[in-house]
């Protein structure tokens, strides 16, 4: 184990200076130095041709490649071809065509990291399995059950082998705890007898059970909660061609800012999304009622997504207000802006994301392994959600400003990608530290279902020793 850590450390030492120069110089030049425009894009390029006037015959199904089968397919095949099962009519008038599809994702990573000031150098082999069963009744009605049999939804409770880590020795965390279980559908489709002519406004979507709630790109809410939601799509208002409104009540398993799981809270949310002529906006409001004194909180999220010239932009304001500041909830506002562009003749993406947090902004709820609200703003703020390897930079928003500047390049028909990024945090309170990190994320498709991912980073930390990390992951989808 010691030799392995020394080897990883040598790799990091050799690469960190390269990362500093490559990430800082390459990405900044992409944005701001026209004289070096010929260096970009880094990825594969292709000329954009005019539409052809020739008739092009569609490929026969046998020429488009084999369709990968799921673990189990009962009834009609998932994305299969051929005759459909005619199904049966329910007493309430709906025609059901039941299918059972079982699928999942297996992730296995060898990873090491050093973050001076918190724990010793850690190296481990961690594993995660997400397994789902989908009972598909119609195109809108389905029942989904999901388990994670190799972890217990805590960073130190993954099935893993620890090489040198004071967070505990390796262990098996096999379990059959249900992490996802919900039924979703549409009232108009489920009970067609209520509107045989299809003219009544009863097309309300609904979902009930333990399900993932993710709003404002996870900045506001990113958690699996026992909840019920009702949604109305395609609402037409003056000046708004399409408005979607959702009402959600969550009554159990909400993870507050401290990611503690309990049944003492009730979450009431109103979520709105509208598509305008030139932009899309979201307005989300949540109230959390906690039976513990001082645990109540209010949350607001507002975002605008649009193109400005050649740039893709997203501007967000997220606020939280706690009845009493605590580990569960805080009071603060997080302002964030995301700007990206695609260099000509390529699918590459250059991006700059910035943020400022005034006070201690906290999420409505979050999974214990996904990190804080800044995870959506860059790969160096995002947690891989696998074992003890967390985000390279602290992903919580407490009186801090920062940025993530990156470039993602694609090759080999998107089978190969490389993301280079530098990111930093500036403490605004005067009580904590400033940090800056450099890193990359390399992904390569090895086979139809298998992906290799290699990540590395180096972190320069104020008044502390510098940190670094390296991880290699194999992802298998089946």
């Amino acid at each position: 184990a010691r030799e392995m850590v020394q080897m990883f450390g040598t790799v990091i030492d050799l690469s960190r200076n390269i990362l500093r120069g490559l990430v800082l110089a390459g990405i900044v030049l992409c944005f701001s130095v026209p004289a070096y425009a010929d260096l970009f894009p880094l990825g594969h390029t292709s000329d954009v041709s005019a539409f052809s006037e020739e008739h092009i015959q569609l490929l026969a199904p046998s020429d488009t490649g084999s369709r990968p089968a799921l673990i189990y397919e009962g009834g009609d095949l998932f994305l299969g071809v051929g005759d459909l099962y005619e199904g049966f009519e329910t007493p309430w008038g709906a025609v059901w065509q039941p299918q059972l599809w079982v699928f999942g994702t297996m992730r296995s990573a060898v990873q090491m990291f050093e973050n001076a000031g918190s724990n010793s150098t850690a190296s481990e082999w961690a594993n995660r399995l997400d397994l789902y069963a989908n009972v598909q009744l119609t195109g809108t009605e389905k029942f989904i059950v999901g388990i994670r049999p190799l972890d217990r939804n805590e960073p130190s409770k993954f099935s893993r082998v620890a090489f040198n880590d004071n967070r505990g020795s390796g262990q098996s965390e096999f379990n059959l705890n249900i992490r996802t279980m919900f039924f979703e559908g549409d009232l108009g489709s489920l009970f067609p007898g209520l509107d045989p002519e299809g003219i009544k406004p009863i097309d309300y979507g609904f979902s009930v059970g333990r399900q993932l709630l993710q709003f404002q790109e996870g900045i506001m809410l990113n958690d699996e909660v026992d909840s019920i939601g009702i949604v109305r799509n395609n609402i037409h208002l003056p000046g708004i061609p399409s408005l979607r409104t959702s009402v959600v009540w969550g009554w159990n398993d909400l993870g507050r800012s401290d990611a503690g799981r309990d049944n003492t809270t009730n979450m009431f949310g109103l979520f709105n999304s509208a598509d305008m002529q030139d932009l899309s906006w979201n307005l989300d409001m949540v109230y959390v009622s906690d039976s513990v004194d001082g645990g109540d909180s209010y949350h607001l999220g507002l975002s605008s997504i649009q193109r400005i010239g050649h740039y893709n932009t997203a501007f967000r304001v997220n606020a939280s207000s706690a009845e009493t500041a605590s580990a569960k909830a805080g009071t603060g506002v997080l302002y964030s802006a995301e700007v990206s562009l695609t260099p000509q003749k390529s699918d590459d993406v250059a991006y700059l994301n910035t943020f400022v947090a005034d006070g201690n902004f906290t999420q409505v709820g979050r999974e214990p392994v996904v990190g804080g609200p800044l995870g959506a703003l860059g790969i160096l703020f995002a947690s891989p959600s696998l074992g003890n390897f967390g985000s390279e930079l602290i992903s919580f928003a407490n009186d801090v400003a920062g940025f993530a500047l990156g470039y993602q390049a694609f090759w080999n028909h998107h089978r190969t990608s490389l993301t280079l990024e530098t990111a930093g945090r500036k403490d605004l309170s005067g009580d904590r530290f400033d940090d800056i990190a450099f890193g990359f994320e390399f992904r390569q498709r090895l086979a139809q279902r298998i992906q290799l991912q290699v990540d590395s980073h180096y972190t320069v930390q104020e008044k502390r020793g510098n940190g670094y990390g390296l991880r290699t992951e194999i992802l298998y989808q089946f």
Side-chain angles (χ1 to χ4, degrees):
R2 186 178 297 108
E3 293 177 354
M4 179 176 294
V5 173
Q6 291 175 348
M7 178 188 68
F8 285 162
T10 300
V11 173
I12 293 296
D13 290 339
L14 291 174
S15 64
R16 64 187 183 185
N17 290 327
I18 297 175
L19 283 173
R20 288 181 182 179
L22 185 59
V23 176
L24 282 174
I27 301 173
V28 172
L29 288 175
C30 173
F31 272 96
S32 59
V33 185
Y36 292 89
D38 290 341
L39 294 176
F40 301 97
L42 298 178
H44 175 76
T45 61
S46 60
D47 292 326
V48 179
S49 58
F51 286 109
S52 174
E53 296 182 355
E54 298 181 6
H55 171 73
I56 302 176
Q57 180 62 44
L58 296 177
L59 293 176
S62 59
D63 296 330
T64 58
S66 60
R67 182 191 65 86
L70 305 180
I71 298 175
Y72 177 79
E73 297 174 292
D76 294 332
L77 302 180
F78 177 69
L79 298 180
V81 297
D83 296 335
L84 298 176
Y85 169 51
E86 65 180 12
F88 61 90
E89 184 174 349
T90 65
W92 47 90
V95 177
W96 285 3
Q97 300 164 296
Q99 297 114 30
L100 173 60
W101 299 330
V102 180
F103 57 95
T105 301
M106 177 69 194
R107 300 174 60 193
S108 183
V110 176
Q111 51 199 22
M112 64 81 58
F113 56 94
E114 167 69 41
N115 188 8
S118 58
N119 288 288
S120 64
T121 302
S123 57
E124 63 184 7
W125 171 33
N127 300 276
R128 170 173 173 167
L129 173 62
D130 294 72
L131 193 61
Y132 297 94
N134 178 11
V135 179
Q136 191 81 19
L137 302 175
T138 70
T140 54
E141 279 70 48
K142 66 182 70 172
F143 178 73
I144 296 180
V145 178
I147 60 174
R148 283 168 36 186
L150 298 183
D151 74 273
R152 298 183 183 274
N153 203 27
E154 294 183 21
S156 62
K157 292 186 178 181
F158 281 77
S159 295
R160 64 191 184 99
V161 175
F163 300 121
N164 65 326
D165 186 4
N166 61 8
R167 296 164 181 80
S169 59
Q171 72 275 334
S172 171
E173 294 289 352
F174 181 78
N175 68 91
L176 294 177
N177 298 334
I178 295 176
R179 296 299 315 150
T180 302
M181 184 171 67
F182 65 91
F183 179 81
E184 70 175 15
D186 181 274
L187 291 177
S189 175
L190 189 61
F191 301 104
L194 297 177
D195 183 23
E197 297 181 358
I199 58 175
K200 297 180 180 179
I202 63 171
D203 292 322
Y204 287 88
F206 67 92
S207 182
V208 58
R210 180 166 297 178
Q211 54 195 308
L212 176 63
L213 302 179
Q214 193 174 69
F215 291 94
Q216 297 289 336
E217 297 296 318
I219 295 175
M220 182 180 193
L221 173 59
N222 190 4
D223 201 3
E224 285 190 313
V225 184
D226 293 341
S227 57
I228 181 171
I230 299 176
V231 58
R232 176 68 177 178
N233 295 302
N234 300 322
I235 301 175
H236 300 290
L237 297 176
I240 303 178
S242 179
L243 171 68
R244 180 176 68 247
T245 296
S246 304
V247 178
V248 179
W249 168 42
W251 65 84
N252 182 44
D253 214 36
L254 180 69
R256 306 302 298 276
S257 181
D258 59 358
R261 323 295 293 183
D262 55 51
N263 59 358
T264 65
T265 57
N266 282 271
M267 184 202 83
F268 305 92
L270 176 64
F271 305 97
N272 303 277
S273 175
D275 294 323
M276 311 291 286
Q277 182 176 355
D278 300 319
L279 58 86
S280 297
W281 58 260
N282 295 269
L283 176 60
D284 305 319
M285 296 171 283
V286 176
Y287 168 62
V288 178
S289 174
D290 198 322
S291 61
V292 178
D293 291 341
D296 294 1
S297 61
Y298 299 86
H299 304 260
L300 175 69
L302 175 64
S303 66
S304 173
I305 304 170
Q306 58 277 307
R307 285 185 64 87
I308 301 177
H310 296 290
Y311 295 90
N312 307 300
T313 62
F315 305 108
R316 305 180 192 277
V317 179
N318 285 271
S320 63
S321 177
E323 178 183 2
T324 302
S326 65
K328 285 189 173 185
T331 298
V333 182
L334 175 61
Y335 306 91
S336 62
E338 305 168 42
V339 181
S340 66
L341 64 88
T342 298
Q344 191 176 16
K345 300 182 180 181
S346 80
D347 291 333
D348 293 359
V349 178
Y351 60 89
L352 173 62
N353 302 330
T354 60
F355 61 88
V356 176
D358 181 13
N360 181 24
F361 167 76
T362 57
Q363 295 160 285
V364 176
R366 70 178 184 90
E367 285 285 308
V369 298
V370 301
L374 302 181
L377 299 178
I379 62 173
L380 294 173
F381 291 105
S383 169
S385 302
L386 177 59
N388 284 305
F389 196 107
S391 58
E392 289 81 353
L393 290 173
I394 297 173
S395 58
F396 297 100
N398 188 354
D399 284 315
V400 65
F403 72 96
L405 181 65
Y407 189 100
Q408 184 176 23
F410 298 94
W411 298 273
N412 195 22
H413 301 287
H414 283 226
R415 294 180 175 90
T416 306
S417 72
L418 174 65
T419 302
L420 305 172
E421 185 177 284
T422 181
R425 290 172 48 97
K426 172 64 178 178
D427 174 52
L428 301 180
S429 67
D431 299 327
R432 290 176 289 273
F433 308 101
D434 302 338
D435 299 320
I436 188 169
F438 314 91
F440 71 84
E441 179 181 280
F442 172 80
R443 298 189 181 193
Q444 173 65 53
R445 195 185 100 167
L446 301 180
Q448 193 172 39
R449 302 169 180 266
I450 304 175
Q451 173 187 275
L452 168 68
Q453 179 173 324
V454 180
D455 306 341
S456 181
H457 74 275
Y458 188 83
T459 308
V460 179
Q461 304 181 126
E462 184 184 25
K463 300 179 183 179
R464 296 163 291 161
N466 296 337
Y468 53 84
L470 176 68
R471 64 188 306 273
T472 300
E473 177 183 324
I474 294 291
L475 182 147
Y476 178 60
Q477 293 182 316
F478 48 87

